[in-house]
Amino acid sequence: PVHSADEIRFAIRPEDTRVTSDGIPALVRLVEPLGANLHVTCDVNGEMFRAVLDSDTVVNPGDTLLTICTIPPVNILFSFNLC
């Protein structure tokens, strides 16, 4: 993660993304069918984002998906500079 006094950046695993009816809008740029999954590259507020979806998901470049991250329980470690 990258952080400053004003922001924290973190990564989300593409396989932890789901399509919902009330998520964050993501403009689909590229759809790559790969066996049981689709790798979908999206634009979210100017940032590129990849989602791994089930292959039966119907999606095309130019579509807008509503996405949500289903992050499993994790341990969060903080690093502090005490000097």
Side-chain angles (χ1 to χ4, degrees):
V2 176
H3 59 87
S4 71
D6 297 328
E7 69 179 28
I8 296 175
R9 290 185 178 213
F10 57 93
I12 298 170
R13 293 184 181 270
E15 59 271 16
D16 291 333
T17 305
R18 303 288 175 262
V19 176
T20 68
S21 60
D22 60 349
I24 297 169
L27 178 62
V28 176
R29 297 290 187 188
L30 178 67
V31 178
E32 300 173 90
L34 296 172
N37 299 313
L38 292 178
H39 287 211
V40 181
T41 303
C42 301
D43 181 329
V44 177
N45 292 328
E47 298 289 332
M48 297 312 285
F49 180 81
R50 172 149 308 158
V52 176
L53 306 175
D54 291 332
S55 62
D56 60 350
T57 305
V58 178
V59 61
N60 295 294
D63 291 349
T64 297
L65 299 177
L66 297 178
T67 60
I68 190 168
C69 298
T70 55
I71 301 172
V74 295
N75 292 323
I76 300 175
L77 304 174
F78 293 93
S79 173
F80 296 96
N81 184 354
L82 300 176
C83 297

